[in-house]
Amino acid sequence: MSTRYDLILRNVMTIERGACDVALADGYIAAIEARIEAFGPERDCGGNLLLPGLIDHHIHLLATAAKLQSADLSGLVREEAIVRRLREAASKLSPEEPLRATGYDERALAIPGRAELDCWVADRPLRVQDRTGALWLLNSPAVAQLGNAPWPDCVETDDCGEPTGRIWRGDGWLRERLGGRPPSLAPLAAQLSRLGITGVTDTGAANGASEAGLFERSRESGQLPQKLQLMGTEDMPEGTGYRRGPLKLLYDERDLPPLDIVADRIRRARDQGRAVAAHCVTEGELSYFLAALDIAGGSRQGDRIEHGSMISAGAIGEIAKRGLTVVTHPSFVHDRGDRYLETIDDDARQDLYRLASLEAGGVNLAGGSDAPYGSFDPWLAMRSGATRRTASNRPLGSDEALPPDRILQMYLLPFDLSTGAPRTVSPDAAADLCLFDGTVRDLVHDARAERVLLTLIDGRPVFEQ
């Protein structure tokens, strides 16, 4: 009697085996053979490339979902263009409905306060997030919604103790003060599915028990079909709808805490059996993290450097020696490259978002988007990492290029980065899969989102052309 499967993918090409059939059952890959003699629903895949589903190893889900519902100021550096974009967005809202905007670039008007924002939009609360995600700018109606003093350290105040409208790293406090329903993750999840993304790591530094509950409900309701790993604080509990990830260490070079405080947090992570993931945008933040690790007793497999925006040649060996993984964003060369060319000195540009030199130095690499602060299209990341060209097609760090199929491997790593081995299409693996229109050669020469034909999570289609 023939075996019955939930789905048989006929005539696929895999990197590991070449041409074959792949059978799925109970959310897993049940069989891979040259020709599977069985019955059940079938799909002829036309000889196209079957890959494990991609994982975005660094994303901010709620902020990205909110950005999809916000006015996008990215790329605007003239004040009149920003005002026009904001007022166009406001005209589509009901009277007095709050307006949210993202992607503000300080080249437009330095860092404006509430008085300047009142000149832009005065008839409703306005909240503007800067391009880095570290700063919120509020107009007077938005400040009025915050209530009364005392103000936490994240709220900048003037000489009279009144808020200036600038709030640094205050996302959690803002959510508590303003309340409101979090954005639906369903539209974002649909876009991720179209890109072949079957798993995401939310890297929110403030994630704790309440955020974990919110994400669990999103998974249970079907808003977010993608597999989920959550970073966060020491208060992050184990969960059933997600995997608890590393303890997130977030600090800014302009206001670094004493090393012993961060070292103590690393020790607490070890007591919880967790790795740590450190926000390292500047060379100073990277050196600070390496020092904190040494004070805390050293690194462990799975410890991560998030961003690795600026890494000097001398630091590569130190990173490799500690076995750290750099979770980088290849698409930033495209998304932000023109800005880097304008604002970063020639001799420092060689340290920007290294790829090839890190790999040559024995450093583990994983891929993430940092969305909403960068594009969450991993295929753009593959092209950007291979060409090292900006949006205006100018070269930036060409020596750091890696081929698209190598960058693909950075998105095929499992959540547990300590393994170091990319996931494969193999028996007993989870049936989280992406069907790519073409061969490996096509992927190398034309890695584009439009080539994703089918995305499966637990063997169930979540996107199909």
Side-chain angles (χ1 to χ4, degrees), residues 422-434:
R423 292 166 298 122
T424 61
V425 178
S426 55
D428 300 323
D432 303 332
L433 300 165
C434 167

Side-chain angles (χ1 to χ4, degrees), residues 223-240:
Q223 281 191 34
L224 184 70
Q226 277 76 20
K227 303 289 179 63
L228 178 62
Q229 175 172 250
L230 288 181
M231 287 189 189
T233 67
E234 292 86 345
D235 296 330
M236 170 67 66
E238 299 280 7
T240 56

Side-chain angles (χ1 to χ4, degrees), residues 43-288:
R43 175 178 173 129
D44 185 346
C45 296
N48 289 307
L49 182 65
L50 186 67
L51 300 166
L54 280 58
I55 293 179
D56 187 328
H57 289 284
H58 186 119
I59 190 171
H60 303 271
L61 288 171
L62 292 175
T64 305
K67 181 178 180 179
L68 297 179
Q69 304 168 26
S70 304
D72 186 4
L73 306 181
S74 301
L76 303 181
V77 294
R78 294 171 60 87
E79 185 178 0
E80 56 266 34
I82 291 172
V83 173
R84 188 182 313 115
R85 179 72 55 82
L86 290 172
R87 291 178 180 175
E88 287 174 355
S91 70
K92 300 173 184 176
L93 302 175
S94 60
E96 298 184 1
E97 184 178 352
L99 174 60
R100 187 183 190 276
T102 61
Y104 173 75
D105 191 321
E106 70 275 11
R107 288 178 295 172
L109 190 67
I111 303 177
R114 60 194 290 184
E116 291 87 355
L117 268 67
D118 288 347
C119 295
W120 294 357
V121 174
D123 65 339
R124 68 187 67 241
L126 169 65
R127 281 190 293 148
V128 178
Q129 189 178 44
D130 83 325
R131 61 178 182 81
T132 71
L135 173 66
W136 282 101
L137 306 170
L138 279 63
N139 69 354
S140 293
V143 169
Q145 291 183 322
L146 299 179
N148 301 314
W151 306 110
D153 291 341
C154 64
V155 177
E156 182 184 274
T157 56
D158 59 23
D159 293 340
C160 298
E162 295 299 317
T164 65
R166 304 182 185 101
I167 299 177
W168 298 89
R169 297 284 184 201
D171 294 53
W173 181 81
L174 272 174
R175 281 197 298 270
E176 290 177 6
R177 277 294 172 107
L178 298 178
R181 299 180 60 183
S184 170
L185 294 175
L188 171 60
Q191 293 198 37
L192 295 174
S193 297
R194 291 180 67 89
L195 296 169
I197 295 174
T198 60
V200 290
T201 292
D202 185 276
T203 57
N207 286 341
S210 61
E211 290 79 9
L214 187 157
F215 282 117
E216 275 197 310
R217 291 190 294 275
S218 294
R219 295 265 300 143
E220 291 168 358
S221 67
Q223 281 191 34
L224 184 70
Q226 277 76 20
K227 303 289 179 63
L228 178 62
Q229 175 172 250
L230 288 181
M231 287 189 189
T233 67
E234 292 86 345
D235 296 330
M236 170 67 66
E238 299 280 7
T240 56
Y242 62 89
R243 181 183 190 274
R244 184 173 70 168
L247 176 72
K248 180 70 177 290
L249 304 173
L250 177 63
Y251 39 73
D252 291 302
E253 184 173 6
R254 66 187 183 89
D255 188 25
L256 293 172
L259 272 171
D260 285 344
I261 291 177
V262 176
D264 284 344
R265 294 196 69 200
I266 294 172
R267 294 187 189 101
R268 289 199 294 275
R270 305 306 191 220
D271 291 341
Q272 294 180 332
R274 299 168 71 184
V276 295
H279 169 95
C280 296
V281 169
T282 68
E283 290 187 70
E285 290 168 355
L286 174 58
S287 298
Y288 176 87

Side-chain angles (χ1 to χ4, degrees), residues 378-394:
W379 309 96
L380 171 62
M382 293 176 217
R383 299 196 306 276
S384 177
T387 64
R388 298 289 294 198
R389 287 190 171 270
T390 71
S392 66
N393 203 34
R394 292 189 286 175

Side-chain angles (χ1 to χ4, degrees), residues 9 32 34 98 123 128 136 154 201 252 259-260 304 331 333 336 350 362 370 384 389 392 408 416 421 431 456-458:
L9 301 174
I32 304 177
D123 65 339
V128 178
W136 282 101
C154 64
T201 292
D252 291 302
L259 272 171
D260 285 344
R304 304 162 46 135
S331 65
V333 170
R336 299 187 179 186
Q350 63 186 347
D370 198 26
S384 177
R389 287 190 171 270
S392 66
L408 168 67
D416 182 1
L456 301 161
I457 297 179
D458 288 330

Side-chain angles (χ1 to χ4, degrees), residues 13 15 49 404-405 436-447 451:
M13 183 72 65
I15 293 174
L49 182 65
D405 53 333
F436 179 84
D437 181 11
T439 64
V440 172
R441 178 180 174 82
D442 294 317
L443 188 151
V444 169
H445 292 286
D446 189 29
R451 286 183 174 268

